[in-house]
Amino acid sequence: MEKFLNMTVLIFQGAGVTLEIFFITLILALPIGALAALGRLSKIKPLSLLMEFYVWIMRGTPLMLQLLFVYFALPVVGLRLPDIAAALLAFTLNYAAYFAEIFRAGLQAIPRGQFEASKVLGLSHWHTMKRIVFPQVLRIVLPPISNETINLVKDTSLIYILAMNDLLRVARTIVQREFDMTPFLIAAIFYLAMTAVLTWAFKKLEAHYGKYDA
Amino acid sequence: MANTMLELTGIHKSFGENQVLRGIDLIVDKGEVVAILGPSGSGKSTMLRCINHLETIDKGDIKIKNQTLAENGIYVDEKKQREVLSATGMVFQQFNLFPHMTVIENLIEAPIYVKKISRDEAIKTAESLLEKVGLSEVRDRYPARLSGGQQQRVAIARALAMMPDILLFDEPTSALDPELTGEVLKTMRELAAEHMTMIVVTHEMAFAREAASRVIFMAGGVIVEENNPKDFFNNPKEERTKLFLRNML
Protein backbone atom coordinates (compact mmCIF):
# COMPACT_ATOMS: atom_id res chain seq x y z
CA MET A 1 0.00 0.00 0.00
CA GLU A 2 2.81 2.36 0.86
CA LYS A 3 4.45 1.59 -2.44
CA PHE A 4 1.21 2.41 -4.21
CA LEU A 5 0.96 5.74 -2.39
CA ASN A 6 4.55 6.61 -3.28
CA MET A 7 3.87 5.86 -6.90
CA THR A 8 0.78 7.99 -6.87
CA VAL A 9 2.65 10.93 -5.35
CA LEU A 10 5.37 10.69 -7.99
CA ILE A 11 2.85 10.42 -10.78
CA PHE A 12 0.96 13.42 -9.45
CA GLN A 13 4.15 15.43 -9.67
CA GLY A 14 4.33 14.41 -13.31
CA ALA A 15 0.70 15.41 -13.67
CA GLY A 16 1.76 18.91 -12.63
CA VAL A 17 3.84 19.27 -15.79
CA THR A 18 1.00 17.83 -17.87
CA LEU A 19 -1.50 20.29 -16.40
CA GLU A 20 0.90 23.19 -16.86
CA ILE A 21 1.31 22.42 -20.56
CA PHE A 22 -2.41 21.87 -20.94
CA PHE A 23 -3.62 25.08 -19.32
CA ILE A 24 -1.00 27.43 -20.72
CA THR A 25 -1.47 26.03 -24.23
CA LEU A 26 -5.22 26.46 -23.97
CA ILE A 27 -4.99 30.01 -22.62
CA LEU A 28 -2.57 31.07 -25.38
CA ALA A 29 -3.96 29.09 -28.31
CA LEU A 30 -7.59 30.20 -27.99
CA PRO A 31 -7.02 33.96 -28.48
CA ILE A 32 -4.28 33.37 -31.05
CA GLY A 33 -6.62 31.04 -32.92
CA ALA A 34 -9.38 33.66 -32.84
CA LEU A 35 -7.03 36.31 -34.22
CA ALA A 36 -5.74 33.92 -36.88
CA ALA A 37 -9.33 33.24 -37.95
CA LEU A 38 -9.98 36.97 -38.27
CA GLY A 39 -6.78 37.26 -40.31
CA ARG A 40 -7.85 34.37 -42.49
CA LEU A 41 -11.17 36.09 -43.23
CA SER A 42 -9.57 39.51 -43.62
CA LYS A 43 -9.95 41.42 -46.86
CA ILE A 44 -6.19 42.05 -46.76
CA LYS A 45 -5.12 39.34 -49.19
CA PRO A 46 -1.50 38.81 -48.02
CA LEU A 47 -2.65 38.41 -44.40
CA SER A 48 -5.33 35.95 -45.40
CA LEU A 49 -2.87 33.91 -47.47
CA LEU A 50 -0.30 33.96 -44.69
CA MET A 51 -2.85 32.56 -42.25
CA GLU A 52 -3.91 29.92 -44.72
CA PHE A 53 -0.24 28.91 -45.09
CA TYR A 54 0.22 28.81 -41.32
CA VAL A 55 -2.81 26.56 -40.86
CA TRP A 56 -1.66 24.32 -43.69
CA ILE A 57 1.79 23.83 -42.13
CA MET A 58 0.46 23.20 -38.65
CA ARG A 59 -2.27 20.81 -39.67
CA GLY A 60 -0.20 19.19 -42.39
CA THR A 61 2.68 17.98 -40.23
CA PRO A 62 2.63 15.78 -37.12
CA LEU A 63 2.64 17.56 -33.77
CA MET A 64 5.48 15.21 -32.79
CA LEU A 65 7.58 16.53 -35.67
CA GLN A 66 6.80 20.12 -34.67
CA LEU A 67 7.90 19.40 -31.12
CA LEU A 68 11.16 17.87 -32.32
CA PHE A 69 11.70 20.81 -34.66
CA VAL A 70 11.30 23.43 -31.95
CA TYR A 71 13.37 21.42 -29.49
CA PHE A 72 16.24 20.23 -31.69
CA ALA A 73 16.23 22.28 -34.90
CA LEU A 74 15.76 25.80 -33.56
CA PRO A 75 18.89 25.64 -31.34
CA VAL A 76 20.90 24.90 -34.51
CA VAL A 77 19.95 28.34 -35.82
CA GLY A 78 20.76 29.86 -32.45
CA LEU A 79 17.34 29.88 -30.81
CA ARG A 80 17.58 27.81 -27.66
CA LEU A 81 14.47 27.81 -25.52
CA PRO A 82 14.05 26.33 -22.06
CA ASP A 83 12.41 22.88 -22.22
CA ILE A 84 8.98 23.92 -21.11
CA ALA A 85 8.94 27.03 -23.32
CA ALA A 86 9.88 24.93 -26.35
CA ALA A 87 7.06 22.52 -25.68
CA LEU A 88 4.61 25.37 -25.12
CA LEU A 89 5.63 27.08 -28.35
CA ALA A 90 4.99 23.96 -30.42
CA PHE A 91 1.72 23.11 -28.68
CA THR A 92 0.39 26.66 -28.88
CA LEU A 93 1.19 27.12 -32.57
CA ASN A 94 -0.30 23.75 -33.39
CA TYR A 95 -3.51 24.14 -31.40
CA ALA A 96 -4.03 27.75 -32.43
CA ALA A 97 -4.15 26.54 -36.05
CA TYR A 98 -6.90 24.05 -35.27
CA PHE A 99 -8.78 26.62 -33.21
CA ALA A 100 -8.42 29.12 -36.08
CA GLU A 101 -10.23 26.75 -38.42
CA ILE A 102 -12.98 26.18 -35.87
CA PHE A 103 -13.45 29.93 -35.32
CA ARG A 104 -13.41 30.58 -39.05
CA ALA A 105 -16.21 28.08 -39.61
CA GLY A 106 -18.12 29.60 -36.70
CA LEU A 107 -17.78 33.13 -38.04
CA GLN A 108 -18.87 32.07 -41.50
CA ALA A 109 -21.95 30.40 -40.07
CA ILE A 110 -23.36 33.73 -38.87
CA PRO A 111 -26.04 34.81 -41.37
CA ARG A 112 -25.38 38.02 -43.30
CA GLY A 113 -28.69 39.32 -41.98
CA GLN A 114 -27.16 39.67 -38.52
CA PHE A 115 -24.53 42.06 -39.87
CA GLU A 116 -27.13 43.93 -41.92
CA ALA A 117 -29.50 44.32 -38.97
CA SER A 118 -26.60 45.63 -36.86
CA LYS A 119 -25.58 48.08 -39.54
CA VAL A 120 -29.10 49.35 -40.03
CA LEU A 121 -29.40 49.95 -36.29
CA GLY A 122 -26.20 52.01 -36.42
CA LEU A 123 -24.06 49.60 -34.39
CA SER A 124 -20.35 50.03 -35.05
CA HIS A 125 -18.35 47.20 -36.60
CA TRP A 126 -16.52 46.50 -33.36
CA HIS A 127 -19.71 46.57 -31.32
CA THR A 128 -21.36 44.21 -33.80
CA MET A 129 -18.50 41.75 -33.49
CA LYS A 130 -18.38 41.95 -29.71
CA ARG A 131 -22.07 41.92 -28.82
CA ILE A 132 -23.85 40.35 -31.78
CA VAL A 133 -21.46 38.06 -33.64
CA PHE A 134 -19.09 36.71 -31.00
CA PRO A 135 -21.72 35.35 -28.58
CA GLN A 136 -23.33 33.47 -31.46
CA VAL A 137 -19.97 32.18 -32.70
CA LEU A 138 -19.20 30.94 -29.20
CA ARG A 139 -22.35 28.85 -29.21
CA ILE A 140 -21.38 27.29 -32.54
CA VAL A 141 -17.73 26.61 -31.74
CA LEU A 142 -18.09 25.17 -28.24
CA PRO A 143 -18.64 21.54 -29.30
CA PRO A 144 -15.62 21.39 -31.67
CA ILE A 145 -13.49 23.37 -29.18
CA SER A 146 -14.46 20.86 -26.52
CA ASN A 147 -13.30 18.08 -28.81
CA GLU A 148 -9.91 19.69 -29.44
CA THR A 149 -9.44 20.47 -25.77
CA ILE A 150 -9.91 16.83 -24.87
CA ASN A 151 -7.41 15.92 -27.59
CA LEU A 152 -4.96 18.35 -26.01
CA VAL A 153 -5.14 16.53 -22.67
CA LYS A 154 -3.86 13.40 -24.37
CA ASP A 155 -1.47 15.14 -26.76
CA THR A 156 0.44 16.58 -23.80
CA SER A 157 1.87 13.08 -23.41
CA LEU A 158 3.95 13.74 -26.55
CA ILE A 159 6.40 15.85 -24.53
CA TYR A 160 7.54 12.49 -23.25
CA ILE A 161 9.99 12.48 -26.20
CA LEU A 162 11.53 15.75 -25.02
CA ALA A 163 12.67 14.08 -21.80
CA MET A 164 10.37 16.20 -19.68
CA ASN A 165 8.90 14.51 -16.66
CA ASP A 166 5.25 14.62 -17.48
CA LEU A 167 2.63 12.21 -16.23
CA LEU A 168 3.29 9.49 -18.79
CA ARG A 169 7.07 9.63 -18.55
CA VAL A 170 7.04 9.40 -14.77
CA ALA A 171 4.71 6.44 -15.03
CA ARG A 172 6.92 4.68 -17.52
CA THR A 173 10.05 5.28 -15.45
CA ILE A 174 8.43 3.63 -12.46
CA VAL A 175 7.18 0.74 -14.59
CA GLN A 176 10.68 0.10 -15.90
CA ARG A 177 12.24 0.34 -12.46
CA GLU A 178 9.73 -1.72 -10.50
CA PHE A 179 8.43 -4.10 -13.17
CA ASP A 180 4.93 -3.16 -12.02
CA MET A 181 2.20 -2.05 -14.40
CA THR A 182 0.18 -0.14 -11.77
CA PRO A 183 1.60 3.30 -12.76
CA PHE A 184 0.10 2.94 -16.24
CA LEU A 185 -3.25 2.28 -14.61
CA ILE A 186 -2.89 5.36 -12.40
CA ALA A 187 -1.93 7.44 -15.46
CA ALA A 188 -4.95 6.18 -17.38
CA ILE A 189 -7.23 7.07 -14.47
CA PHE A 190 -5.73 10.54 -14.34
CA TYR A 191 -6.31 11.19 -18.07
CA LEU A 192 -9.83 9.82 -17.81
CA ALA A 193 -10.61 11.97 -14.78
CA MET A 194 -9.39 15.08 -16.52
CA THR A 195 -11.42 14.28 -19.61
CA ALA A 196 -14.48 13.71 -17.45
CA VAL A 197 -14.07 17.09 -15.77
CA LEU A 198 -13.66 18.81 -19.15
CA THR A 199 -16.65 17.04 -20.65
CA TRP A 200 -18.76 18.17 -17.72
CA ALA A 201 -17.47 21.76 -17.89
CA PHE A 202 -18.12 22.06 -21.64
CA LYS A 203 -21.60 20.60 -21.22
CA LYS A 204 -22.30 23.37 -18.69
CA LEU A 205 -20.91 26.01 -21.04
CA GLU A 206 -22.92 24.71 -23.98
CA ALA A 207 -26.10 24.78 -21.91
CA HIS A 208 -25.34 28.33 -20.79
CA TYR A 209 -24.59 29.71 -24.24
CA GLY A 210 -27.29 27.66 -25.93
CA LYS A 211 -30.15 28.76 -23.71
CA TYR A 212 -31.65 30.81 -26.52
CA ASP A 213 -32.22 27.79 -28.77
CA ALA A 214 -35.81 26.80 -29.38
CA MET B 1 -39.02 70.90 -49.97
CA ALA B 2 -38.98 70.97 -46.19
CA ASN B 3 -41.21 67.93 -46.26
CA THR B 4 -39.02 65.84 -48.54
CA MET B 5 -37.80 62.78 -46.67
CA LEU B 6 -36.04 60.97 -49.46
CA GLU B 7 -34.74 61.95 -52.84
CA LEU B 8 -33.23 59.47 -55.27
CA THR B 9 -31.88 60.81 -58.54
CA GLY B 10 -30.61 58.73 -61.45
CA ILE B 11 -29.69 55.68 -59.39
CA HIS B 12 -27.77 53.02 -61.30
CA LYS B 13 -26.59 49.75 -59.85
CA SER B 14 -25.05 46.66 -61.41
CA PHE B 15 -24.05 43.30 -60.02
CA GLY B 16 -21.23 42.43 -62.39
CA GLU B 17 -22.70 42.41 -65.89
CA ASN B 18 -26.23 42.47 -64.58
CA GLN B 19 -27.73 45.96 -64.56
CA VAL B 20 -30.24 45.85 -61.73
CA LEU B 21 -31.17 49.52 -61.49
CA ARG B 22 -31.10 51.71 -64.57
CA GLY B 23 -31.91 55.21 -63.55
CA ILE B 24 -34.30 55.43 -60.60
CA ASP B 25 -35.79 58.81 -59.66
CA LEU B 26 -37.96 58.93 -56.60
CA ILE B 27 -39.08 61.57 -54.15
CA VAL B 28 -40.86 60.59 -50.96
CA ASP B 29 -42.50 63.20 -48.75
CA LYS B 30 -43.07 63.10 -45.02
CA GLY B 31 -45.98 60.87 -44.04
CA GLU B 32 -46.20 59.07 -47.36
CA VAL B 33 -46.65 55.33 -47.49
CA VAL B 34 -45.11 54.16 -50.74
CA ALA B 35 -45.76 50.59 -51.82
CA ILE B 36 -43.31 49.22 -54.34
CA LEU B 37 -44.60 46.40 -56.50
CA GLY B 38 -43.01 44.48 -59.30
CA PRO B 39 -42.07 41.04 -60.51
CA SER B 40 -39.10 39.34 -58.90
CA GLY B 41 -35.84 40.53 -60.41
CA SER B 42 -37.33 43.96 -61.11
CA GLY B 43 -34.80 45.57 -58.75
CA LYS B 44 -37.27 46.67 -56.09
CA SER B 45 -35.44 45.13 -53.14
CA THR B 46 -32.10 46.35 -54.46
CA MET B 47 -33.47 49.87 -54.72
CA LEU B 48 -34.66 49.71 -51.12
CA ARG B 49 -31.29 48.38 -49.97
CA CYS B 50 -29.53 51.18 -51.83
CA ILE B 51 -31.41 53.76 -49.77
CA ASN B 52 -29.64 52.74 -46.54
CA HIS B 53 -26.37 51.67 -48.12
CA LEU B 54 -26.78 47.93 -47.71
CA GLU B 55 -25.95 48.07 -51.41
CA THR B 56 -23.56 50.59 -52.92
CA ILE B 57 -24.81 52.52 -55.93
CA ASP B 58 -22.72 53.03 -59.06
CA LYS B 59 -24.22 56.31 -60.17
CA GLY B 60 -26.72 58.85 -58.91
CA ASP B 61 -27.61 60.92 -55.85
CA ILE B 62 -29.23 59.92 -52.57
CA LYS B 63 -30.54 62.51 -50.15
CA ILE B 64 -32.27 61.71 -46.90
CA LYS B 65 -34.02 64.58 -45.11
CA ASN B 66 -32.17 66.91 -47.48
CA GLN B 67 -28.81 65.59 -46.32
CA THR B 68 -26.57 64.06 -48.95
CA LEU B 69 -25.67 60.40 -48.55
CA ALA B 70 -24.17 60.03 -52.02
CA GLU B 71 -23.64 62.38 -54.91
CA ASN B 72 -22.69 61.19 -58.40
CA GLY B 73 -22.21 57.74 -56.91
CA ILE B 74 -19.70 58.99 -54.34
CA TYR B 75 -20.62 58.55 -50.71
CA VAL B 76 -19.97 61.03 -47.93
CA ASP B 77 -17.50 59.91 -45.25
CA GLU B 78 -18.45 57.17 -42.84
CA LYS B 79 -19.22 59.40 -39.90
CA LYS B 80 -21.53 61.52 -42.01
CA GLN B 81 -23.16 58.40 -43.45
CA ARG B 82 -24.01 57.21 -39.96
CA GLU B 83 -25.56 60.55 -39.18
CA VAL B 84 -27.63 60.65 -42.37
CA LEU B 85 -28.69 57.03 -42.09
CA SER B 86 -29.80 57.40 -38.49
CA ALA B 87 -33.02 58.80 -39.95
CA THR B 88 -33.80 55.41 -41.48
CA GLY B 89 -34.91 52.10 -40.03
CA MET B 90 -35.40 48.79 -41.76
CA VAL B 91 -37.52 45.69 -41.41
CA PHE B 92 -36.22 42.60 -43.22
CA GLN B 93 -37.90 39.67 -44.86
CA GLN B 94 -36.05 37.29 -42.53
CA PHE B 95 -36.64 39.45 -39.41
CA ASN B 96 -32.93 39.26 -38.45
CA LEU B 97 -33.56 39.49 -34.73
CA PHE B 98 -30.53 38.79 -32.56
CA PRO B 99 -31.18 35.19 -31.51
CA HIS B 100 -29.01 35.29 -28.39
CA MET B 101 -30.89 38.23 -26.91
CA THR B 102 -34.34 38.31 -25.42
CA VAL B 103 -37.01 40.46 -27.04
CA ILE B 104 -36.41 43.37 -24.69
CA GLU B 105 -32.63 43.09 -25.15
CA ASN B 106 -33.11 43.21 -28.92
CA LEU B 107 -35.03 46.44 -28.50
CA ILE B 108 -32.67 48.26 -26.15
CA GLU B 109 -29.27 47.32 -27.61
CA ALA B 110 -29.00 50.06 -30.23
CA PRO B 111 -30.75 52.83 -28.23
CA ILE B 112 -28.30 52.31 -25.36
CA TYR B 113 -25.11 51.93 -27.38
CA VAL B 114 -25.83 54.13 -30.39
CA LYS B 115 -28.21 56.78 -29.06
CA LYS B 116 -26.57 56.69 -25.60
CA ILE B 117 -29.92 56.61 -23.86
CA SER B 118 -29.92 55.41 -20.26
CA ARG B 119 -30.86 51.77 -19.76
CA ASP B 120 -33.95 52.60 -17.72
CA GLU B 121 -35.23 54.99 -20.32
CA ALA B 122 -34.50 52.52 -23.15
CA ILE B 123 -36.42 49.81 -21.32
CA LYS B 124 -39.36 52.13 -20.76
CA THR B 125 -39.51 53.06 -24.46
CA ALA B 126 -39.09 49.42 -25.47
CA GLU B 127 -41.91 48.30 -23.20
CA SER B 128 -44.29 50.87 -24.63
CA LEU B 129 -43.33 49.82 -28.17
CA LEU B 130 -43.97 46.18 -27.33
CA GLU B 131 -47.36 47.17 -26.01
CA LYS B 132 -48.01 49.04 -29.23
CA VAL B 133 -47.30 45.96 -31.36
CA GLY B 134 -49.26 43.83 -28.91
CA LEU B 135 -46.38 41.76 -27.61
CA SER B 136 -45.84 42.82 -24.01
CA GLU B 137 -46.19 39.23 -22.87
CA VAL B 138 -43.12 38.01 -24.83
CA ARG B 139 -40.81 40.66 -23.32
CA ASP B 140 -38.33 38.18 -21.85
CA ARG B 141 -38.51 35.41 -24.42
CA TYR B 142 -35.86 34.52 -26.97
CA PRO B 143 -36.79 35.03 -30.64
CA ALA B 144 -36.67 31.30 -31.41
CA ARG B 145 -39.66 30.86 -29.09
CA LEU B 146 -41.83 33.27 -31.07
CA SER B 147 -43.92 32.69 -34.16
CA GLY B 148 -42.79 34.31 -37.39
CA GLY B 149 -45.47 36.96 -37.12
CA GLN B 150 -44.43 37.80 -33.57
CA GLN B 151 -40.77 37.95 -34.59
CA GLN B 152 -41.57 40.38 -37.36
CA ARG B 153 -43.58 42.60 -35.02
CA VAL B 154 -40.65 42.59 -32.59
CA ALA B 155 -38.41 43.55 -35.52
CA ILE B 156 -40.72 46.47 -36.29
CA ALA B 157 -40.62 47.54 -32.64
CA ARG B 158 -36.82 47.26 -32.67
CA ALA B 159 -36.64 49.53 -35.71
CA LEU B 160 -39.05 52.00 -34.09
CA ALA B 161 -36.96 52.09 -30.90
CA MET B 162 -34.36 54.06 -32.85
CA MET B 163 -37.04 56.65 -33.70
CA PRO B 164 -36.44 56.71 -37.42
CA ASP B 165 -38.12 59.23 -39.71
CA ILE B 166 -38.40 56.73 -42.55
CA LEU B 167 -39.06 53.02 -42.21
CA LEU B 168 -38.02 50.71 -45.02
CA PHE B 169 -39.77 47.34 -45.31
CA ASP B 170 -38.18 44.66 -47.47
CA GLU B 171 -40.95 42.13 -48.22
CA PRO B 172 -41.89 41.99 -44.53
CA THR B 173 -44.50 39.25 -44.91
CA SER B 174 -42.87 37.07 -47.58
CA ALA B 175 -41.27 34.67 -45.10
CA LEU B 176 -44.45 34.22 -43.10
CA ASP B 177 -47.12 31.56 -43.20
CA PRO B 178 -50.22 33.06 -44.82
CA GLU B 179 -52.20 33.02 -41.56
CA LEU B 180 -49.51 35.09 -39.85
CA THR B 181 -49.24 37.91 -42.38
CA GLY B 182 -52.39 39.56 -41.05
CA GLU B 183 -50.94 40.54 -37.68
CA VAL B 184 -47.86 42.10 -39.31
CA LEU B 185 -49.92 43.99 -41.88
CA LYS B 186 -52.17 45.26 -39.08
CA THR B 187 -49.16 46.70 -37.26
CA MET B 188 -47.99 48.30 -40.51
CA ARG B 189 -51.44 49.78 -41.16
CA GLU B 190 -51.42 51.29 -37.69
CA LEU B 191 -48.05 52.90 -38.40
CA ALA B 192 -49.35 54.22 -41.71
CA ALA B 193 -52.36 55.70 -39.91
CA GLU B 194 -49.93 57.52 -37.60
CA HIS B 195 -48.30 59.08 -40.69
CA MET B 196 -45.04 57.25 -40.36
CA THR B 197 -43.11 57.67 -43.61
CA MET B 198 -42.83 54.16 -45.03
CA ILE B 199 -41.42 52.58 -48.15
CA VAL B 200 -42.68 49.05 -48.49
CA VAL B 201 -41.49 46.50 -51.01
CA THR B 202 -44.26 43.95 -50.99
CA HIS B 203 -46.35 41.39 -52.80
CA GLU B 204 -49.38 42.17 -50.64
CA MET B 205 -51.77 43.80 -53.11
CA ALA B 206 -54.39 44.35 -50.43
CA PHE B 207 -51.93 46.30 -48.29
CA ALA B 208 -50.84 48.43 -51.26
CA ARG B 209 -54.45 49.12 -52.17
CA GLU B 210 -55.68 50.02 -48.70
CA ALA B 211 -52.74 51.42 -46.76
CA ALA B 212 -50.45 52.99 -49.34
CA SER B 213 -50.71 56.60 -50.38
CA ARG B 214 -48.81 55.87 -53.56
CA VAL B 215 -48.00 52.76 -55.53
CA ILE B 216 -44.87 52.36 -57.61
CA PHE B 217 -44.52 49.61 -60.15
CA MET B 218 -41.00 48.56 -61.10
CA ALA B 219 -39.82 46.26 -63.85
CA GLY B 220 -36.44 45.72 -65.47
CA GLY B 221 -34.67 48.13 -63.13
CA VAL B 222 -36.83 51.17 -63.84
CA ILE B 223 -40.01 52.67 -62.43
CA VAL B 224 -42.64 51.81 -65.02
CA GLU B 225 -45.64 53.46 -63.47
CA GLU B 226 -46.68 55.27 -60.32
CA ASN B 227 -50.03 56.48 -59.15
CA ASN B 228 -52.40 56.67 -56.21
CA PRO B 229 -53.61 53.17 -55.30
CA LYS B 230 -57.13 53.67 -56.61
CA ASP B 231 -56.08 54.66 -60.11
CA PHE B 232 -53.15 52.29 -60.10
CA PHE B 233 -55.31 49.25 -59.53
CA ASN B 234 -58.40 50.40 -61.45
CA ASN B 235 -56.84 52.12 -64.45
CA PRO B 236 -53.28 50.99 -64.98
CA LYS B 237 -51.78 52.85 -67.93
CA GLU B 238 -48.83 50.72 -68.96
CA GLU B 239 -49.09 47.34 -70.62
CA ARG B 240 -46.53 45.80 -68.26
CA THR B 241 -48.49 47.00 -65.25
CA LYS B 242 -51.69 45.52 -66.65
CA LEU B 243 -49.98 42.21 -67.29
CA PHE B 244 -48.51 42.16 -63.78
CA LEU B 245 -51.83 42.97 -62.14
CA ARG B 246 -53.62 40.33 -64.18
CA ASN B 247 -51.17 37.74 -62.97
CA MET B 248 -51.32 38.85 -59.35
CA LEU B 249 -55.03 39.31 -58.82
Side-chain angles (χ1 to χ4, degrees), chain A:
Chain A
M1 192 61 202
E2 202 191 318
K3 201 172 107 187
F4 179 78
L5 278 177
N6 281 340
M7 275 180 198
T8 308
V9 167
L10 277 174
I11 290 170
F12 263 63
Q13 281 165 1
V17 176
T18 295
L19 285 171
E20 188 181 351
I21 298 276
F22 172 79
F23 279 112
I24 297 178
T25 299
L26 200 60
I27 287 163
L28 293 176
L30 281 169
I32 294 173
L35 288 174
L38 289 175
R40 179 88 157 71
L41 294 174
S42 161
K43 286 187 191 107
I44 308 162
K45 212 60 208 145
L47 181 62
S48 171
L49 284 172
L50 184 71
M51 288 304 132
E52 203 176 336
F53 180 74
Y54 158 66
V55 169
W56 176 61
I57 295 287
M58 289 298 153
R59 294 201 308 176
T61 56
L63 176 54
M64 174 93 87
L65 179 62
Q66 293 163 17
L67 277 165
L68 291 171
F69 183 85
V70 170
Y71 199 71
F72 295 110
L74 285 188
V76 175
V77 295
L79 187 62
R80 179 173 295 281
L81 293 170
D83 286 3
I84 192 109
L88 283 171
L89 179 66
F91 272 106
T92 301
L93 287 178
N94 180 278
Y95 269 82
Y98 281 93
F99 288 147
E101 280 301 279
I102 292 171
F103 282 125
R104 179 180 67 84
L107 277 166
Q108 286 178 324
I110 304 300
R112 203 177 53 163
Q114 293 290 305
F115 292 92
E116 290 186 347
S118 306
K119 185 182 173 191
V120 164
L121 288 168
L123 301 175
S124 69
H125 180 70
W126 172 238
H127 186 91
T128 302
M129 292 308 279
K130 190 178 71 173
R131 297 268 307 172
I132 309 300
V133 176
F134 191 68
Q136 296 184 59
V137 169
L138 202 59
R139 162 84 188 87
I140 298 168
V141 301
L142 269 174
I145 293 274
S146 156
N147 221 3
E148 282 304 319
T149 304
I150 286 167
N151 271 339
L152 176 60
V153 173
K154 293 166 292 171
D155 274 354
T156 54
S157 63
L158 288 174
I159 56 170
Y160 165 95
I161 53 153
L162 302 186
M164 284 162 69
N165 285 319
D166 77 313
L167 175 63
L168 190 61
R169 192 183 180 85
V170 171
R172 196 189 67 152
T173 310
I174 303 172
V175 167
Q176 284 174 335
R177 196 177 58 215
E178 315 264 341
F179 298 105
D180 178 354
M181 294 299 146
T182 321
F184 281 157
L185 201 66
I186 298 171
I189 288 168
F190 179 86
Y191 286 119
L192 281 170
M194 205 164 153
T195 304
V197 170
L198 285 171
T199 306
W200 173 82
F202 273 103
K203 212 184 261 172
K204 285 273 167 206
L205 280 173
E206 280 175 39
H208 177 74
Y209 285 102
K211 63 176 188 281
Y212 56 81
D213 286 338

Side-chain angles (χ1 to χ4, degrees), chain B residues 49-65:
Chain B
R49 290 166 56 82
C50 281
I51 295 173
N52 60 0
H53 202 190
L54 288 180
E55 303 290 353
T56 302
I57 59 169
D58 301 330
K59 243 173 23 185
D61 305 340
I62 302 174
K63 277 187 180 174
I64 294 166
K65 285 177 82 185

